[in-house]
Amino acid sequence: METKSIMIVGVGGQGTLLASRILGSVLGTVHGMSQRGGSVVTYIRYGEKVYSPVIEKGQADMIVSFEQLEAARYVSYLKKGGTIITNTQKISPMPVITGAAEYPDGIIDKIKAMGINIIAVDALSAAEKAGSARAVNVVLMGVLSKVLPGIELDAWKKAVEKCVPAKVIEINEKAFDLGRDL
């Protein structure tokens, strides 16, 4: 099996680690760190010969971004022919909140103009429809499950069930299905 590299990027507190655990349950090795409010990146590499958990610039087959600015921040890590899945949500970083900077306009269009395959979805609206805005991460895993080859739907469903708290399984199952429909 050819080695594949996936990055999950977002802002601390968005649920990137849960998304990583779901994907890790399906695939295997996961390496990453968290920082509430700061940029968060998780590396997932799988295949027959994985020599390092870290993904270097130009090596990611896929990037799953929880918000637009994070997609732009990590676009240089995507390999030629790779795909970005991004939530259309905008979360202002501290310099924007304090007025020291402005949130950039047209991020998704700029990434498209670079010739990059980008799938932009309103994961927040789908999560709210499922019953909780906190399910954005599972919506994005639903989108990923449609474009990541070779993984059975049942494996994804079992991973969601295994990784989310029992009291919110129904909401997250719905969020996953809505993500697959986006």
Side-chain angles (χ1 to χ4, degrees), residues 3 18 21 35 43-44 47-48 54 60 73 93 116 122 138 149 164:
T3 300
L18 175 59
R21 281 199 329 261
Q35 176 185 344
Y43 306 106
I44 296 107
E48 281 186 32
V54 178
R73 183 185 323 265
I116 293 171
D122 186 351
V138 180
V164 302

Side-chain angles (χ1 to χ4, degrees), residues 45-67:
R45 301 197 68 220
Y46 65 100
E48 281 186 32
K49 296 180 181 180
V50 177
Y51 298 109
S52 169
V54 178
I55 300 171
E56 301 292 333
K57 287 186 177 184
Q59 290 184 342
D61 294 286
M62 201 162 290
I63 296 173
V64 179
S65 172
F66 281 51
E67 78 94 41

Side-chain angles (χ1 to χ4, degrees), residues 128-157:
E128 289 170 340
K129 185 176 178 182
S132 174
R134 295 183 65 183
V136 163
N137 49 6
V138 180
V139 170
L140 290 170
M141 291 298 96
V143 176
L144 178 62
S145 75
K146 289 285 283 197
V147 297
L148 192 61
I151 302 168
E152 298 291 326
L153 178 58
D154 189 53
W156 284 101
K157 298 260 184 176

